[in-house]
């Protein structure tokens, strides 16, 4: 009987040690294991990223066609282009007007610049590959000392002079003796287009000027 009781006590002691080792101690340290494993959560499955495809495509803004009517170009404060008011104007001779290309029979006015005094115009865009500046309509109050100077500027690069047109007393006297010179020579053709320009104009003894930005007639409606 005593041996049986001793055996029971031994079994109970082993059970107590196991309980303490497997349950009580881990519970005290916060590391209580699960019944069927370590108890750590299984890693989740992260879904693959799916890019969002836009359902609508932005519509480009249409460029209006030219209706063939001249557009006036106004004047602005020279400070708009950071030009000093007392800037010394360039005095360059005027190159002869270039002859229009083959097949071009008529020039039409796309925009106009009208004035009397010195000034700086706003920006005008020439949406065609070829154009010319007609400055043949200038009247003077004194044929002896007049001056007309027009600087064609690149609006995207204010440091770039596209071309400079200057008429001095010799030009006005020659045109007075031969009026046809104005139509033949007082024009300047530009073989660059699709660009923005503005004009810096300086005058002396000029009553009025009517400048015309012209394009070939075939460009009307394009």
């Amino acid at each position: 009987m005593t041996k049986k009781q001793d055996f029971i006590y031994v079994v109970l002691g082993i059970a107590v040690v196991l309980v303490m080792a497997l349950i009580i101690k881990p519970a005290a340290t916060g590391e209580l294991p699960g019944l069927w494993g370590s108890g750590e959560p299984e890693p989740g499955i992260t879904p693959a990223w799916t890019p969002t495809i836009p359902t609508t495509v932005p519509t480009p803004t249409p460029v209006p066609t030219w209706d063939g009517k001249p557009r006036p170009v106004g004047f602005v404060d020279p400070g708009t282009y950071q030009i000093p008011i007392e800037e010394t104007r360039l005095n360059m001779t005027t190159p002869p007007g270039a002859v229009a290309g083959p097949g071009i029979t008529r020039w039409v006015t796309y925009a106009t610049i009208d004035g009397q005094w010195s000034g700086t115009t706003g920006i005008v865009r020439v949406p065609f590959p070829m154009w010319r500046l007609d400055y043949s309509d200038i009247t003077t109050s004194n044929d002896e000392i007049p001056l007309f100077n027009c600087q064609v500027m690149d609006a995207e690069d204010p440091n770039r002079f596209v071309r400079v047109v200057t008429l001095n007393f010799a030009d006005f006297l020659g045109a007075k003796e031969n009026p046809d010179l104005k139509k033949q020579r007082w024009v300047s053709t530009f073989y660059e287009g699709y660009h923005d320009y503005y004009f810096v104009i300086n005058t002396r003894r000029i009553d009025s000027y009517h400048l015309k930005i012209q394009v070939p007639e075939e460009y009307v409606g394009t």
Side-chain angles (χ1 to χ4, degrees):
M1 185 69 178
T2 301
K3 293 181 178 181
K4 184 177 181 179
Q5 289 178 348
D6 293 340
F7 178 76
I8 293 174
Y9 291 148
V10 172
V11 172
L12 290 175
I14 294 172
V16 171
V17 172
L18 291 175
V19 171
M20 292 179 66
L22 298 177
I23 299 178
I24 296 177
K25 184 178 180 180
T29 60
E31 299 177 355
L32 182 62
L35 295 177
W36 308 104
S38 62
E40 296 180 358
E42 296 183 359
I45 300 175
T46 303
W49 176 75
T50 304
T52 303
I53 301 176
T55 57
T56 59
V57 179
T59 303
T61 304
V63 178
T65 58
W66 179 43
D67 57 7
K69 298 180 180 179
R71 304 177 181 184
V73 180
F75 291 88
V76 299
D77 183 351
T80 301
Y81 310 111
Q82 300 180 353
I83 301 174
I85 297 178
E86 299 299 328
E87 179 181 15
T88 303
R89 56 179 174 264
L90 299 179
N91 188 7
M92 301 177 64
T93 58
T94 305
V99 179
I104 298 176
T105 58
R106 183 170 180 264
W107 293 86
V108 294
T109 300
Y110 172 71
T112 58
I113 304 172
D114 296 289
Q116 177 183 4
W117 313 110
S118 301
T120 302
T121 73
I123 294 175
V124 56
R125 179 166 183 80
V126 180
F128 308 109
M130 177 182 176
W131 61 285
R132 77 174 186 177
L133 179 66
D134 184 331
Y135 43 92
S136 60
D137 190 358
I138 301 175
T139 59
T140 65
S141 57
N142 188 323
D143 290 337
E144 298 297 330
I145 56 173
L147 174 72
F148 178 83
N149 174 269
C150 179
Q151 303 165 27
V152 184
M153 306 297 298
D154 185 339
E156 297 179 5
D157 182 4
N159 294 319
R160 175 181 176 237
F161 290 81
V162 179
R163 193 167 300 173
V164 179
V165 172
T166 301
L167 300 175
N168 52 36
F169 69 95
D171 298 299
F172 288 102
L173 285 177
K176 184 176 181 180
E177 297 174 358
N178 185 0
D180 290 338
L181 286 178
K182 286 187 176 183
K183 295 181 180 180
Q184 298 172 5
R185 300 178 63 87
W186 289 21
V187 293
S188 187
T189 304
F190 297 77
Y191 296 94
E192 62 170 70
Y194 302 111
H195 206 71
D196 296 328
Y197 306 92
Y198 66 91
F199 302 81
V200 180
I201 299 172
N202 297 282
T203 64
R204 183 181 67 218
R205 295 292 184 178
I206 299 296
D207 283 342
S208 66
Y209 54 82
H210 176 67
L211 310 184
K212 292 172 284 189
I213 299 172
Q214 298 182 320
V215 297
E217 186 179 28
E218 63 191 65
Y219 294 159
V220 178
T222 61

